[in-house]
Amino acid sequence: MPIAVGKKMKKLRIDIVSDVVCPWCIIGYKRLEQALLALSDTIDADIHWHPFELNPAMPIGGEHLQQHLAKKYGTSIEASLQARQTLSALGQEVGFQFNFSDNMRIYNTRKAHQLLMWANSQGKQLELEMALFRAYFTFGQALDDDDVLLDLVQSLGLDRDICRAVLTDESWAKTVSVTEQQWLEAGIQAVPALIIEQRHLISGAQTTEILQQALEDIAQQLPMTQ
């Protein structure tokens, strides 16, 4: 977020626990983005993304999305279609394009999260998060495919060979798993989850207005930074 020159700011740490195949996670983030834009004269957000796999046991190749929703949640075809329409409309409101299709699949995202954790050290985590959301929801790409993932990171100027090593290094997979377990033990059972200043939990994709008010209330409790 841009910092207004000469104005005193409140710096807020925001931890976001999410998955890149969760439609509410991108809607929630885009609403947060709008709230932060409205508060850009007073709040400087320090955002950190954390992994949460909706389907950690999903095999390579994924599963047909409608069949998956029916099996996991008992969602009917009619309810699924209605949800797609709702999500598409909400996406338009926040400037994100959902392109749902009848043959859409859902994937395991462990490898995507490995790259996201590594990209944080390169200052590219947010860019990669957004690229992954678009790759899946807008362009229908398979997020468990190494070539898809490597093409994405390369498009952001990241080293393809280093990223390939991250994908194949079991220590990165273990780090993702351990981090997810820590969030589960901290009580995070669903995403998106926003943790403000490591104390205040906001669950779900709240409206921009609710997020803005919450950020203002929390910021009022903090000291000014220059």
Side-chain angles (χ1 to χ4, degrees), residues 93-113:
E93 290 178 8
V94 295
F96 184 83
Q97 184 176 352
F98 289 100
N99 289 325
F100 294 104
S101 65
D102 289 340
N103 62 354
M104 190 169 182
R105 302 181 72 79
I106 191 164
Y107 302 97
N108 172 267
T109 53
R110 172 66 61 86
K111 289 184 174 182
H113 286 300

Side-chain angles (χ1 to χ4, degrees), residues 42-121:
T42 56
I43 290 178
D44 176 22
D46 179 24
I47 296 177
H48 302 263
W49 294 82
H50 304 278
F52 190 102
E53 291 173 78
L54 290 175
N55 302 289
M58 183 73 71
I60 295 295
E63 186 176 8
H64 186 274
L65 180 57
Q66 280 192 343
Q67 293 174 3
H68 171 77
L69 294 174
K71 182 171 65 176
K72 188 172 182 178
Y73 304 109
T75 307
S76 68
I77 292 178
E78 293 76 14
S80 180
L81 292 174
Q82 181 59 53
R84 291 180 181 187
Q85 293 174 1
T86 299
L87 289 165
S88 295
L90 293 174
Q92 286 186 336
E93 290 178 8
V94 295
F96 184 83
Q97 184 176 352
F98 289 100
N99 289 325
F100 294 104
S101 65
D102 289 340
N103 62 354
M104 190 169 182
R105 302 181 72 79
I106 191 164
Y107 302 97
N108 172 267
T109 53
R110 172 66 61 86
K111 289 184 174 182
H113 286 300
Q114 290 172 219
L115 289 174
L116 284 165
M117 294 192 82
W118 176 79
N120 186 44
S121 67

Side-chain angles (χ1 to χ4, degrees), residues 181-218:
Q181 186 59 38
Q182 290 172 342
W183 285 112
L184 288 170
E185 292 172 358
I188 304 300
Q189 302 293 328
V191 288
L194 307 182
I195 302 92
I196 316 298
E197 284 295 298
Q198 300 180 303
R199 294 192 301 274
H200 309 276
L201 172 64
I202 301 175
S203 298
Q206 302 298 327
T207 66
T208 298
E209 293 73 23
I210 288 175
L211 290 170
Q212 184 174 337
Q213 186 62 59
L215 293 170
E216 287 180 306
D217 291 345
I218 294 168

Side-chain angles (χ1 to χ4, degrees), residues 135-185:
Y136 180 60
F137 286 113
T138 305
F139 302 113
Q141 293 181 288
L143 296 191
D144 63 353
D145 185 297
D146 285 7
D147 286 334
V148 168
L149 295 172
L150 291 172
D151 285 347
L152 281 178
V153 293
Q154 187 171 356
S155 73
L156 300 178
L158 295 168
D159 188 282
R160 190 182 185 96
D161 291 333
I162 294 176
C163 290
R164 184 181 289 108
V166 171
L167 289 179
T168 57
D169 188 339
E170 279 302 312
S171 67
W172 281 103
K174 180 67 173 178
T175 300
V176 171
S177 177
V178 169
T179 303
E180 290 174 336
Q181 186 59 38
Q182 290 172 342
W183 285 112
L184 288 170
E185 292 172 358

